[in-house]
């Protein structure tokens, strides 16, 4: 007995769902990256502040060094330059802190943006997909032998709508009890088709 995926509605729904999940995850990751880059732009003022503060501190320190070489009053004149250079370094440090804060915020927001969409995939779609794969694997194993074919036919009798059962045979239960091969095969095919599979003997 050969088992293979066929173009039944269940199989097509599974395929379409899988494709939608891939698109969903891709879109979520792209959005998170876009959000991260957008928030990171808030660090630009901090970068400029750090650059300006560091440059000003270096210039003031250099000027203070030159003033310090003036005879007699050099030591007194360097004090204001040193204090101004210290203030400029504090400004540069504030710029660095702002950049770190923005970086942490960008990372936190991008991760938060991924929690919901990836949570839906991991806790919603994935368990259903794994359960379907297990059912399909069990159906393949059952369909490999005559006893399994009978069991699939019995499952079809209990699970399939009456309109489908009567299409197989107007007296489908009696035909199944008699072990009519055509009826059993048709019922097994119905159950496999419910999982998006098809069998042929």
């Amino acid at each position: 007995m050969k088992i293979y995926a066929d173009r039944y509605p269940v199989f097509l729904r599974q395929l379409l769902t899988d494709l939608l999940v891939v698109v969903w995850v891709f879109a979520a990751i792209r959005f998170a990256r876009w959000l991260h880059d957008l928030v990171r732009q808030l660090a630009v003022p901090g970068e400029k502040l750090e650059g300006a503060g560091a440059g000003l501190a270096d210039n003031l320190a250099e000027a203070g060094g030159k003033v310090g070489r003036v005879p007699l009053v050099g030591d007194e004149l360097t004090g204001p330059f040193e204090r101004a250079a210290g203030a400029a370094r504090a400004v540069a440090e504030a710029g660095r802190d702002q950049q770190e804060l923005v970086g942490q915020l960008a990372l936190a927001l991008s991760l938060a943006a991924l929690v919901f969409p990836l949570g839906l995939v991991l806790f919603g779609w994935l368990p259903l997909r794994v359960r379907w794969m297990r059912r399909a694997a069990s159906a393949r194993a059952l369909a490999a032998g005559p006893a399994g074919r009978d069991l699939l036919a019995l499952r079809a009798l209990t699970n399939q709508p009456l309109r489908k059962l009567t299409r197989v045979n107007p007296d489908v239960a009696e035909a199944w009890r008699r072990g009519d091969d055509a009826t059993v095969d048709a019922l097994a095919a119905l159950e496999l088709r419910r999982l998006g599979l098809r069998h042929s003997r």
Side-chain angles (χ1 to χ4, degrees):
M1 185 177 296
K2 182 181 178 183
I3 307 291
Y4 55 91
D6 198 8
R7 292 186 178 180
Y8 289 109
V10 173
F11 174 73
L12 289 178
R13 284 198 299 271
Q14 279 289 357
L15 180 61
L16 180 60
T17 302
D18 292 347
L19 291 175
L20 288 176
V21 167
V22 171
V23 172
W24 173 264
V25 171
F26 176 77
I29 293 173
R30 287 297 300 267
F31 175 75
R33 291 185 62 183
W34 172 82
L35 182 61
H36 181 274
D37 294 340
L38 180 66
V39 176
R40 281 291 302 170
Q41 292 178 9
L42 296 176
V44 173
E47 294 172 0
K48 293 180 178 179
L49 193 62
E50 181 186 3
L56 181 60
D58 292 340
N59 291 336
L60 287 171
E62 182 181 356
K66 291 178 180 179
V67 170
R69 292 196 292 269
V70 175
L72 300 178
V73 295
D75 291 339
E76 295 179 4
L77 294 176
T78 57
F81 286 96
E82 290 175 355
R83 288 192 293 273
R89 290 190 188 95
V91 169
E93 185 64 28
R96 281 192 293 273
D97 292 343
Q98 192 262 357
Q99 292 175 67
E100 290 179 6
L101 180 62
V102 168
Q104 294 171 1
L105 179 63
L107 180 61
L109 288 178
S110 59
L111 291 177
L114 286 174
V115 168
F116 177 71
L118 295 186
L120 284 181
V121 172
L122 293 176
F123 301 107
W125 169 82
L126 188 59
L128 295 176
R129 192 69 171 92
V130 170
R131 185 172 66 178
W132 178 84
M133 291 171 66
R134 288 178 178 171
R135 285 181 177 178
S138 298
R140 287 188 182 95
L142 284 174
R149 183 174 60 97
D150 292 338
L151 182 56
L152 287 172
L154 179 59
R155 284 180 60 86
L157 283 173
T158 58
N159 293 330
Q160 294 291 333
L162 290 176
R163 57 184 176 77
K164 290 187 177 181
L165 295 176
T166 53
R167 282 188 209 147
V168 171
N169 191 313
D171 195 3
V172 66
E174 178 61 26
W176 175 78
R177 278 195 295 266
R178 288 197 318 266
D180 180 65
D181 284 338
T183 301
V184 172
D185 279 343
L187 288 173
L190 274 180
E191 186 61 18
L192 289 172
R193 197 173 296 128
R194 188 172 67 88
L195 294 172
L197 303 170
R198 175 181 166 180
H199 84 284
S200 61
R201 301 186 65 188

